[in-house]
Amino acid sequence: DIEGAEYEVFLNCSEEILKKAGILLIEYHEDVTPYGKKELSHRLSKLDFQVHLGESINYGGLIGGSIRAYNK
């Protein structure tokens, strides 16, 4: 749980490191950065992960949700 830094980590992490993961469970936050769940899911899909987006939830004005990604 890295509270908004998920975009910086997953969008800038090397492919080599990300591909070592078998399963990723990411809690994302919208409206915290210029990025959103679409950028995270696109990046992981390009690396051949099977991506499942959880439902977005409004936490008192902060929109968030989860992404499950499985390395094929």
Side-chain angles (χ1 to χ4, degrees):
D1 190 8
I2 52 179
E3 298 301 333
E6 57 272 7
Y7 302 106
E8 183 178 341
V9 170
F10 287 102
L11 296 177
N12 294 306
C13 190
S14 75
E15 290 183 13
E16 180 183 0
I17 290 173
L18 284 175
K19 286 183 176 184
K20 289 181 179 182
I23 301 171
L24 295 170
L25 178 58
I26 304 167
E27 177 189 32
Y28 66 85
H29 302 82
E30 299 277 3
D31 302 327
V32 176
T33 72
Y35 307 106
K37 65 183 175 187
K38 289 180 185 178
E39 287 83 4
L40 289 175
S41 61
H42 178 72
R43 167 95 161 119
L44 294 170
S45 292
K46 279 180 53 179
L47 296 175
D48 224 16
F49 279 82
Q50 182 180 6
V51 177
H52 301 275
L53 296 175
E55 199 173 319
S56 292
I57 300 169
N58 186 331
Y59 298 101
L62 180 64
I63 306 297
S66 64
I67 297 173
R68 292 184 328 268
Y70 303 93
N71 199 340
K72 294 180 186 179

